[in-house]
Amino acid sequence: MRYPITLMEGDGIGPEVTGAAVRVVDCAVDGRIDWERVPAGLAATGRGLPPFPPEAEASLRRTRIGLKGPLTTPVGTGFRSVNVTMRQALDLYACLRPVRSLPGVKKARYQGVDLVLVRENTEGLYSGVEHEVVPGVVEALKIVTRRASLRVARWAFEYARTQGRKKITVVHKATVMPLSDGLFLDCAREVAADYPYLEVETMLLDNLAMELVRDPGRFDVVVLGNLDGDLVSDLCAGLVGGLGVVPGANIGDGHAVFEAVHGSAPDIAGQGRANPIAVTLSAALMLRHIGERRAAARIEHAVDAVLSAGATLTPDLGGRASTTDLCEALLAAVEASP
């Protein structure tokens, strides 16, 4: 079976890391993906298009699946975040961020971490509804709806059920925002009633931050609102070595986009020093999503094997290898895997 998949290479180091990931994916699935390359970010604005142009949206609506490198939103130009625009346009309401300790990552603060963050992706303060009330006073509206809260909670509980997870932590700040976060919390509790075989706890956002630092191993699946999830997901990446080693996905009922969650790092673009692990693991998530589980497992095992060996690591991982060197090592490991 062949798969049409939209590819947005990204800005800065994006073409380097996505290029490596594409080679690894093609190896794992024996070339059965038809990549549809579309412009986004600076590649689009350089042509006089918006950062998330109609061509990219049309491709994603057609293929339903996309792989995306890091994109840059020009600051102060009137453009909204590319990611926010894409998520809202395609209704990619669940942001999935698995965080797992990987072997051989010297920057990791903890070992044995294996948790999953599920973040509501379309509303909250990221709804982008803000205005200047009077000069010097700006008001931003935090939009929380029952519909969005119920569906992301249902998605998180279903993910836990299908992936063999046993516990869900619902994060909120209803002590300060009893209406907005209170609604999110109530919706999660309502959904939880349908899953009596899962352990459920609720936790204040500030307490979560402390407990993650004290003992991240106590968490399994964590579901949060939009802004809270954005902040906490980066914190969790820091527990296992940083954004360069964690994957990400934005998933809706009809479409899904898998992405590297780190920045475009223009300071090292074109130098062959970029680490492709994050986008490669995101591509493995993508393969699982479309049912290519064996290919996904081969990639994940290859990443573990290369990191464990420690001989081919990019500078951010403590080595001297180039992006190409690491890619070649991953390819060899994929080919050697059963």
Side-chain angles (χ1 to χ4, degrees):
M1 182 175 180
R2 301 194 65 83
Y3 303 95
I5 292 179
T6 299
L7 177 65
M8 294 168 279
E9 292 184 326
D11 302 318
I13 62 171
E16 300 169 68
V17 294
T18 55
V22 164
R23 290 185 64 196
V24 173
V25 169
D26 283 342
C27 177
V29 299
D30 300 321
R32 290 182 292 111
I33 289 180
D34 297 318
W35 298 100
E36 189 169 304
R37 299 171 188 267
V38 295
L42 297 181
T45 58
R47 293 167 44 183
L49 300 170
F52 183 56
E55 180 181 344
E57 181 175 346
S59 175
L60 286 167
R61 290 192 182 280
R62 182 169 54 255
T63 66
R64 295 182 175 268
I65 302 292
L67 180 65
K68 182 178 76 65
L71 295 177
T72 300
T73 299
V75 178
T77 60
F79 290 119
R80 293 183 65 201
S81 162
V82 185
N83 286 336
V84 170
T85 302
M86 178 186 67
R87 292 163 184 164
Q88 293 182 346
L90 298 172
D91 204 20
L92 307 176
Y93 61 84
C95 179
L96 176 66
R97 294 280 287 270
V99 178
R100 177 173 68 93
S101 295
L102 297 175
V105 179
K106 298 175 183 178
K107 294 167 59 178
R109 299 285 182 174
Y110 298 85
Q111 295 300 319
V113 177
D114 183 14
L115 61 89
V116 176
L117 295 164
V118 178
R119 159 189 166 195
E120 200 291 316
N121 227 5
T122 62
E123 54 179 32
L125 279 172
Y126 285 7
S127 300
V129 182
E130 56 181 7
H131 64 279
E132 188 173 42
V133 182
V134 295
V137 179
V138 173
E139 181 179 59
L141 300 182
K142 178 177 179 176
I143 308 298
V144 178
T145 65
R146 174 177 169 81
R147 172 179 176 270
S149 299
L150 283 173
R151 69 178 181 176
V152 76
R154 180 74 61 184
W155 197 96
F157 276 81
E158 277 296 300
Y159 179 89
R161 182 184 67 82
T162 59
Q163 300 300 314
R165 300 278 175 165
K166 302 301 182 184
K167 178 181 177 183
I168 291 189
T169 303
V170 181
V171 179
H172 65 97
K173 194 64 178 176
T175 51
V176 176
M177 292 168 282
L179 291 181
S180 57
D181 277 28
L183 175 59
F184 183 82
L185 179 58
D186 289 344
C187 288
R189 285 172 169 159
E190 181 178 334
V191 171
D194 294 333
Y195 299 82
Y197 40 82
L198 294 177
E199 179 184 353
V200 181
E201 68 175 350
T202 63
M203 185 172 291
L204 290 168
L205 175 63
D206 43 350
N207 190 30
L208 173 74
M210 180 181 70
E211 293 297 333
L212 281 169
V213 174
R214 291 179 58 189
D215 180 18
R218 61 162 291 190
F219 295 99
D220 195 356
V221 175
V222 183
V223 59
L224 316 89
N226 203 341
L227 175 60
D228 297 348
D230 191 8
L231 301 176
V232 172
S233 58
D234 281 15
L235 183 155
C236 289
L239 302 176
V240 298
L243 294 174
V245 295
V246 294
N250 302 284
I251 302 173
D253 292 333
H255 307 84
V257 177
F258 300 81
E259 62 175 351
V261 296
H262 55 69
S264 57
D267 55 319
I268 62 168
Q271 298 178 24
R273 300 170 54 198
N275 170 13
I277 294 293
V279 69
T280 301
L281 288 175
S282 299
L285 276 183
M286 178 188 74
L287 292 177
R288 287 192 182 278
H289 184 79
I290 63 176
E292 290 285 343
R293 296 192 174 190
R294 178 174 175 271
R298 292 177 70 195
I299 292 175
E300 291 160 354
H301 293 158
V303 168
D304 286 359
V306 170
L307 291 176
S308 293
T312 316
L313 303 178
T314 47
D316 65 304
L317 295 172
R320 297 182 178 180
S322 68
T323 309
T324 301
D325 293 336
L326 181 48
C327 177
E328 294 294 339
L330 290 171
L331 288 170
V334 169
E335 291 174 346
S337 65

